[in-house]
Amino acid sequence: MLSTTLNPKLVNPTEEHEMLRQTVREFTRKEIEPQAEEYDRKGILNTELLRKVGDLGLIGITIPEEFGGAGMDSTAAVIAHEEMCFSDPGFTLAYLAHALLFVNNLFYAANDDQRKRYIPKTITGEWIGAMGMTEPSAGTDVLGMGTVAVKRGDNYILNGRKIFITNAPEANVFLVYAKVDGRITSFIVESTFKGFSVSEKIQKMGMRASTMAELILEDVEVPAENLVGREGGGITNMMRNLEIERLGLAAMSLGMANRCLDVMLRYSNERQAFGKPIAEFGQVQSHIGESFAKIEAMRGLIYGAASTIGPDHRNRPASDAAKLFAGRAAKEVADSAMQVLGGYGYCNEYRVEQFLRDAKLIEIGGGTNEAHQKNITRDLCKLVQV
Amino acid sequence: MKILVPVKRVPDPELKANIKDGKLDLSGAQWVVNTFDEYAVEAALRLTENADEGSRDGEVVVVTIGPDDAAVQLRSCLAMGADRAIHVASEDANLDSLLVAKTLKAVYDEEKPDMVLLGKQAVDGDTNQVGQMLAALLNLPQATFAASIELADDGKACVVSREVDAGVEFKKLPLPAVVTVDLRIVSPTSITNGITPESHEYADGPRYASLKGIMKAKKKPMDNKTMADLGVSGSPVVKELEVTLPEARAAGQIVESVEELVKKLSEEAKAL
């Protein structure tokens, strides 16, 4: 992999970050890369690998040390996603859904009893977690969700549906958003709770090494002690977590783009046409030059944003901008890689076609481009309104 | 059991070597722990722990001789699980194998470990000399290219296996001793220390620095020394004159038959 030409302190602010990157890179090379193509082809999640990722400590990357985590920051989470995505975007997405959408989300919203009950099992990868927000008829318009929770005795009774839920087929536990008296509230729902079920796997274009399904909530009985935070506190929980989620997804785009540039660079130096390497042709140079510029721009934006975001530090416009820009840029870089490789790119061998399929997801999942544009405009407008 | 593990930083062997004006151009190098030294750290950790219980039973001290930023590689070893580090300041250009061995001898004299465990060679210079020179300077028994190490019950000796042309050779060494390791030392059952149950199987290869290990590494002690502190002086006796890439290999040939192959081997290659 090419290293950045930017100030190395931007991407590895401390010695710990540098060691983390080295460890994850080595782990990716030895453990993730060899299995990636097979799991993409089969369309299944490698749960054993997720446990190895847990052994390494990556699932609890942002969780404080006293709760069994590594106690690292958003930049560290970005490093982990970037490095793993160089080899396996689908698996990294499953990791993100578990480590950020569930573990990080729950930890910072939960009370100590809930942490004790759910963090130790999920931080190791023994239990897989997922998060349920999007519904069949409410995506970007999240406040329009229809899932409801009604208090009955010591339980809340949940009804509704959640769609496109990454890890749902394998997950043991879910963080589910539902409305109590019209106010969005978070609940911890175990897959064995009465009334809870999961649909068949939903087939998809890319990110096939992670799985998704629909959650079906039919009079699900959730004990009141599994309400996270307070009634109506769901939005705060959701918003707090969305920023690190977007950084993770943006970092995944960066990892995918790194891979695609790496492949096209090697290929264009070896592949000859008209008696010389195709890297000497202006048309190919246009793809390489533009891709490199996009990658360094992504990197600057993502790491610049990451250093401003933490459980107590919010920066919505920067996280939206990072994902909006990186998602599109990575898709373009993957497309360039395919164009440079021509027929070899369209076929499976170099895995460029997989990265193009995978890269598209970031323009949709975890917030569509349109949602980011809406958020950014709203946040910026507030700055100029009198 | 106290083990001293000398480690060297090397340019990442996965990356292409650049040569400029007859010298290796290391300006953009990414530095990593020499592969075989990383194996030595792994072997030392296995010798001083109960892997089933996840507890330590002994001390692993890593030492490097190198410029300021070589501390990063020492931290990596601490993140893997080594207990403390010694950083002897020096520029790479001012060193050769003998000076390194003399410096390590001085460190040995201060630390008095039960064993010095190191890679059989560094993957940059590939000289394969430091372990042997160190054993000679210390007048200690040595076993090179160790494929396995079995510690005696009383902790006063070890049996080292080495893969040689004729098979596997076993050497019993009284401790303290100098042992250099080969790649098989990180096989699942290559280390027997009398503490970890013999049924335990390690994952193949050196362990990764876990995130917890990385966060702990900063709090572990690292001593900074100079060669003068250790009473070592002198300049390298081996001088590097020029570095060149090996000649590019000529293209291969595809032959039609065994007869043609034999003919070419005999007449063209003169190998028969």
Side-chain angles (χ1 to χ4, degrees):
Chain A
M1 192 194 306
L2 294 171
S3 53
T4 183
T5 55
L6 306 179
N7 181 347
K9 287 285 170 215
L10 179 74
V11 297
N12 295 326
T14 68
E15 221 172 62
E16 281 84 12
H17 289 107
E18 191 176 342
M19 276 196 275
L20 169 72
R21 188 180 296 279
Q22 221 167 60
T23 284
V24 182
R25 188 170 294 186
E26 209 169 299
F27 181 83
T28 300
R29 187 160 69 196
K30 289 188 192 153
E31 313 279 341
I32 301 185
E33 178 72 27
Q35 55 82 56
E37 191 273 333
E38 181 193 344
Y39 281 82
D40 174 70
R41 184 161 29 81
K42 292 183 177 162
I44 50 178
L45 168 64
N46 189 343
T47 52
E48 193 191 327
L49 184 61
L50 195 60
R51 270 190 288 275
K52 281 191 192 170
V53 166
D55 289 344
L56 199 59
L58 279 172
I59 295 173
I61 189 164
T62 53
I63 306 303
E65 285 173 80
E66 58 267 37
F67 290 91
M72 296 179 119
D73 58 7
S74 304
T75 301
V78 163
I79 290 171
H81 286 87
E82 179 193 352
E83 293 294 332
M84 288 198 280
C85 235
F86 187 82
S87 286
D88 196 339
F91 177 77
T92 311
L93 185 72
Y95 161 74
L96 180 145
H98 177 57
L100 294 185
L101 305 195
F102 184 84
V103 176
N104 186 74
N105 199 349
L106 179 74
F107 181 82
Y108 286 102
N111 59 35
D112 274 355
D113 164 64
Q114 292 164 338
R115 288 169 173 174
K116 267 185 213 135
R117 283 192 287 134
Y118 291 104
I119 297 296
K121 268 187 275 194
T122 50
I123 211 169
T124 54
E126 181 194 343
W127 269 30
I128 296 174
M131 185 273 287
M133 180 160 73
T134 299
E135 299 186 352
S137 39
T140 298
D141 180 16
V142 64
L143 298 181
M145 69 172 58
T147 299
V148 291
V150 178
K151 184 93 187 271
R152 191 188 299 158
D154 291 338
N155 291 326
Y156 282 87
I157 308 299
L158 269 62
N159 277 288
R161 289 185 168 234
K162 297 286 176 185
I163 200 160
F164 311 138
I165 308 307
T166 297
N167 290 351
E170 291 83 10
N172 307 81
V173 62
F174 298 79
L175 198 64
V176 173
Y177 294 100
K179 280 180 176 169
V180 178
D181 295 330
R183 296 176 306 160
I184 295 179
T185 307
S186 338
F187 294 92
I188 304 164
V189 180
E190 294 184 25
S191 60
T192 53
F193 283 0
K194 192 168 162 250
F196 179 90
S197 61
V198 170
S199 74
E200 289 291 295
K201 279 185 194 174
I202 302 171
Q203 298 302 325
K204 50 190 170 140
M205 174 169 111
M207 298 291 185
R208 290 174 48 80
S210 71
T211 58
M212 66 154 68
E214 187 172 351
L215 311 186
I216 301 156
L217 306 154
E218 285 174 340
D219 292 327
V220 179
E221 292 175 14
V222 180
E225 62 259 30
N226 276 17
L227 184 152
V228 184
R230 53 181 173 78
E231 285 188 5
I235 284 287
T236 315
N237 301 343
M238 187 191 289
M239 294 301 161
R240 184 198 304 112
N241 210 62
L242 273 174
E243 292 175 7
I244 195 168
E245 292 169 26
R246 291 191 199 109
L247 286 177
L249 290 160
M252 287 181 58
S253 289
L254 175 58
M256 288 187 260
N258 283 337
R259 174 61 169 255
C260 291
L261 178 61
D262 193 76
V263 172
M264 79 173 114
L265 211 50
R266 286 172 200 279
Y267 183 85
S268 58
N269 271 286
E270 280 167 19
R271 172 77 177 185
Q272 304 257 337
F274 306 102
K276 54 185 181 180
I278 62 170
E280 292 181 22
F281 292 97
Q283 290 152 309
V284 171
Q285 291 169 355
S286 157
H287 285 294
I288 293 172
E290 295 293 329
S291 297
F292 175 73
K294 282 170 193 160
I295 286 173
E296 293 294 51
M298 271 190 243
R299 198 172 262 138
L301 179 50
I302 295 168
Y303 282 94
S307 63
T308 69
I309 289 169
D312 306 317
H313 302 281
R314 304 282 303 272
N315 189 349
R316 186 165 89 154
S319 69
D320 273 301
K323 180 170 167 293
L324 175 63
F325 180 79
R328 182 181 298 146
K331 183 191 70 179
E332 289 168 357
V333 173
D335 196 16
S336 277
M338 184 178 281
Q339 199 63 32
V340 167
L341 268 72
Y344 286 105
Y346 195 73
C347 298
N348 298 356
E349 186 186 347
Y350 288 83
R351 292 184 60 214
V352 165
E353 60 83 27
Q354 184 203 329
F355 278 77
L356 181 55
R357 286 187 281 115
D358 292 348
K360 177 64 196 176
L361 182 269
I362 311 295
E363 291 195 311
I364 298 168
T368 57
N369 282 359
E370 293 72 21
H372 302 312
Q373 290 157 352
K374 175 202 67 155
N375 293 344
I376 289 169
T377 308
R378 281 189 185 172
D379 288 348
L380 296 186
C381 281
K382 277 183 207 154
L383 297 176
V384 296
Q385 281 160 1
V386 202
Chain B
M1 178 92 183
K2 176 173 171 180
I3 303 177
L4 181 69
V5 185
V7 299
K8 182 183 184 185
R9 68 166 200 172
V10 296
D12 190 341
E14 303 277 330
L15 301 178
K16 190 170 171 267
N18 293 319
I19 293 172
K20 204 166 134 187
D21 305 328
K23 282 186 160 36
L24 271 178
D25 175 16
L26 298 171
S27 53
Q30 294 184 33
W31 298 95
V32 296
V33 177
N34 169 40
T35 317
F36 292 108
D37 293 340
E38 199 180 3
Y39 296 165
V41 173
E42 172 65 28
L45 291 171
R46 289 187 191 182
L47 282 165
T48 53
E49 71 185 358
N50 183 328
D52 267 8
E53 290 175 8
S55 57
R56 307 270 311 127
D57 191 353
E59 187 182 24
V60 174
V61 182
V62 285
V63 55
T64 199
I65 307 161
D68 288 351
D69 51 359
V72 175
Q73 281 68 47
L74 284 178
R75 289 274 175 224
S76 299
C77 299
L78 294 176
M80 283 174 75
D83 299 286
R84 63 190 174 86
I86 300 167
H87 184 180
V88 184
S90 172
E91 291 307 316
D92 293 330
N94 300 337
L95 295 171
D96 62 5
S97 301
L98 186 58
L99 266 176
V100 169
K102 284 179 175 170
T103 311
L104 293 176
K105 175 184 184 299
V107 174
Y108 176 94
D109 289 340
E110 285 190 356
E111 293 287 336
K112 297 272 182 264
D114 300 298
M115 186 187 289
V116 183
L117 200 57
L118 66 166
K120 64 171 183 176
Q121 65 200 66
V123 296
D124 54 355
D126 280 324
T127 59
N128 181 7
Q129 292 175 322
V130 170
Q132 295 87 332
M133 286 178 171
L134 178 61
L137 292 173
L138 289 168
N139 199 25
L140 285 181
Q142 61 171 308
T144 55
F145 296 29
S148 70
I149 302 172
E150 186 181 345
L151 216 51
D153 290 339
D154 61 4
K156 290 187 176 148
C158 67
V159 175
V160 170
S161 77
R162 320 169 62 231
E163 292 182 349
V164 293
D165 288 347
V168 180
E169 178 184 72
F170 290 87
K171 274 189 166 180
K172 185 168 184 183
L173 290 83
L175 294 178
V178 176
V179 178
T180 79
V181 302
D182 208 339
L183 58 100
R184 272 194 233 295
I185 201 70
V186 291
S187 307
T189 56
S190 57
I191 302 284
T192 314
N193 70 353
I195 308 167
T196 297
E198 287 195 31
S199 56
H200 184 90
E201 284 212 3
Y202 281 94
D204 205 1
R207 65 196 63 189
Y208 301 101
S210 73
L211 270 63
K212 279 184 197 170
I214 290 172
M215 296 306 277
K216 268 191 209 155
K218 197 158 205 168
K219 294 166 200 147
K220 291 181 176 174
M222 188 183 300
D223 284 345
N224 289 294
K225 290 181 189 294
T226 62
M227 289 171 71
D229 293 342
L230 293 162
V232 182
S233 59
S235 46
V237 290
V238 176
K239 294 210 166 38
E240 182 184 293
L241 299 181
E242 192 187 4
V243 179
T244 55
L245 282 175
E247 263 180 54
R249 269 173 57 171
Q253 298 177 32
I254 295 174
V255 294
E256 297 289 330
S257 63
V258 174
E259 287 75 20
E260 193 189 343
L261 174 67
V262 172
K263 192 162 176 244
K264 279 186 183 284
L265 283 174
S266 147
E267 291 174 11
E268 283 180 32
K270 309 228 181 283
L272 299 178

